[in-house]
Amino acid sequence: MIKVLFFIKGENISGFSLTGHADYGDYGKDTVCASVTSAALMAANTVTEIIKADADASAQEGSIKLTVKEDSDAVQTVLKGFKLHIKELAKEYPENIKIIYGGVKQCLK
């Protein structure tokens, strides 16, 4: 199962962490894993390379993390779009994706 932890600071999303594997299909053919990974990398790359926000991003086998140090409307738009995308995927694949909210406010849904 992929666990997606959203870091919450006040009313805003300050980053996310993905861990695990979807186990929906064979390695290299797991469409759920590919969908989540692609969306996470696009969000992280948009925040760091296009918006150029001050943020830490890392990606390893089975793990992607983004922590935003500088908040802006543009960053929030990307992160809220990513959250919406992951929520929709989790509705379709509840056995493969789990969403967790962390930080000060636990229920920014």
Side-chain angles (χ1 to χ4, degrees):
M1 176 174 281
I2 297 174
K3 293 181 182 171
V4 184
L5 170 63
F6 284 98
F7 308 129
I8 307 301
K9 185 175 182 183
E11 294 293 319
N12 293 328
I13 302 169
S14 60
F16 60 84
S17 172
L18 275 67
T19 56
H21 293 281
D23 297 321
Y24 183 75
D26 293 335
Y27 183 81
K29 297 181 181 186
D30 188 329
T31 56
V32 174
C33 190
S35 297
V36 172
T37 299
S38 179
L41 291 174
M42 182 178 176
N45 288 333
T46 301
V47 168
T48 60
E49 302 302 317
I50 304 301
I51 298 172
K52 303 239 184 250
D54 187 10
D56 291 326
S58 64
Q60 303 175 46
E61 174 64 31
S63 174
I64 299 173
K65 184 175 182 180
L66 174 71
T67 306
V68 177
K69 298 176 184 178
E70 168 192 350
D71 197 20
S72 69
D73 288 342
V75 168
Q76 286 306 302
T77 298
V78 172
L79 293 178
K80 287 176 181 177
F82 173 66
K83 183 182 78 151
L84 175 62
H85 187 72
I86 294 300
K87 281 175 63 175
E88 293 302 314
L89 285 171
K91 282 181 193 174
E92 292 214 23
Y93 304 99
E95 302 296 318
N96 308 98
I97 303 170
K98 179 177 183 175
I99 299 174
I100 305 163
Y101 299 93
V104 176
K105 187 171 183 177
Q106 297 285 328
C107 58
L108 182 68
K109 294 182 182 176

